[in-house]
Amino acid sequence: MTREAYSFVRTFPAEPVRELRVDRHYLLCASAGVLRLEAQGQAWLLPPARAALIEAGRPIQVSIPQPVTTASVLFDPEFTAAPPAPLTVFDLNPLARALVDECGAFGESDEPLPAYARTMFAALAAVTWRLAEQPSPVVVPAGRSPELRRALAATERQLSGEVSFEDVAAEVGLAPRSLARRFAEETGLTWRAVLRRMRVLRAIEELAAGDAPVTRIAHTVGYTSLSAFNAAFLDLTGRTPTEYRASFRP
């Protein structure tokens, strides 16, 4: 019989989208690199400072834009209560990261968990379940209709340069007014608001990937003004790019 909770660390190469579904509540953390997650019509990036909590049996789409090392913890549904939502992405605090590290010593096994390990896994569940009640606002819609999904893909391809809403509408074969209506109906956001979120998410990916200067990252994601980039990043994440990068590091 497999333990009621266990941890594992794995390294994966870059790979395209695939479906992930497990029969346990799944705490998924990227300890190096970045994961992309999609479910329920929304998409997230998962750099080292964040975690995803996935309810048992819930399918999600996962892609890996660059090699990634993950630290994961799986909980039997009888070991802990169901998560507050089917899928939540949130920032890890220092306590949660320390508990993930501590639980890392207890992998999958037929041997029962020692009393100390049970206490650590229960504490980790209590802390991360509470953090999951305040999900990260940095999320972009995935789109329901084929036209909107193509518009989102076209927008994302052009993040590093000038992006024209009219050009995006023409590429998907809709009038700008019709595409604007699709954005409002399917996402509750304007195209401009989605563009800003995409740029911040791409910036998070760049911040997690290495030590490129923040100014260069701002230009890479389409900002010509560093102050505008910093303001958008702070507004969506609650931290400056420098502070956010620091949260990835030990």
Side-chain angles (χ1 to χ4, degrees), residues 6-7 45 47 49 54 61 68 75 144 155 159 180 206 244 249:
Y6 64 89
S7 177
L45 276 182
I54 306 157
Q61 303 297 314
V68 64
F75 300 90
R144 296 192 305 270
T155 302
L159 290 183
E206 294 291 330
Y244 207 91
R249 310 298 164 87

Side-chain angles (χ1 to χ4, degrees), residues 34 44 50 60 64 67 73 77 84 114 121 137 151 155 157 170-171 174 177 182 189 194 200 202 222 224 239:
V34 177
W44 297 260
R50 302 166 99 191
I60 65 169
I64 305 174
V73 183
F121 280 105
T155 302
R157 284 196 305 270
E171 183 171 335
L174 291 175
R177 181 176 296 180
R182 289 287 180 95
L189 298 168
V194 172
V200 169
R202 178 69 59 80
T224 57
R239 286 179 257 185

Side-chain angles (χ1 to χ4, degrees), residues 30-100:
S31 54
V34 177
L35 292 165
R36 288 175 179 258
L37 308 177
E38 182 179 324
Q40 302 169 309
Q42 295 184 307
W44 297 260
L45 276 182
L46 199 66
R50 302 166 99 191
L53 183 58
I54 306 157
E55 186 179 15
R58 293 284 181 171
I60 65 169
Q61 303 297 314
V62 179
S63 62
I64 305 174
Q66 56 181 285
V68 64
T69 299
T70 62
S72 302
V73 183
L74 285 89
F75 300 90
D76 189 289
E78 295 185 3
F79 181 77
T80 184
L87 170 63
T88 310
V89 174
F90 53 91
D91 290 341
L92 289 171
N93 62 19
L95 175 58
R97 276 181 275 184
L99 287 167
V100 169

Side-chain angles (χ1 to χ4, degrees), residues 151-169 171 179 183 191-192 194-196 198-199 220-223:
L152 290 166
T155 302
E156 189 169 11
R157 284 196 305 270
Q158 303 176 63
L159 290 183
S160 61
E162 290 291 330
V163 190
S164 164
F165 181 65
E166 288 72 20
D167 290 345
V168 171
E171 183 171 335
L179 182 58
F183 269 93
W191 173 80
R192 183 66 60 182
V194 172
L195 173 63
R196 188 175 71 141
M198 282 184 170
R199 284 177 161 159
T220 298
V221 301
Y223 280 91

Side-chain angles (χ1 to χ4, degrees), residues 111-129:
E111 297 293 325
L113 282 173
Y116 172 77
R118 283 184 57 87
T119 300
M120 290 298 100
F121 280 105
L124 176 61
V127 171
T128 52
W129 262 238

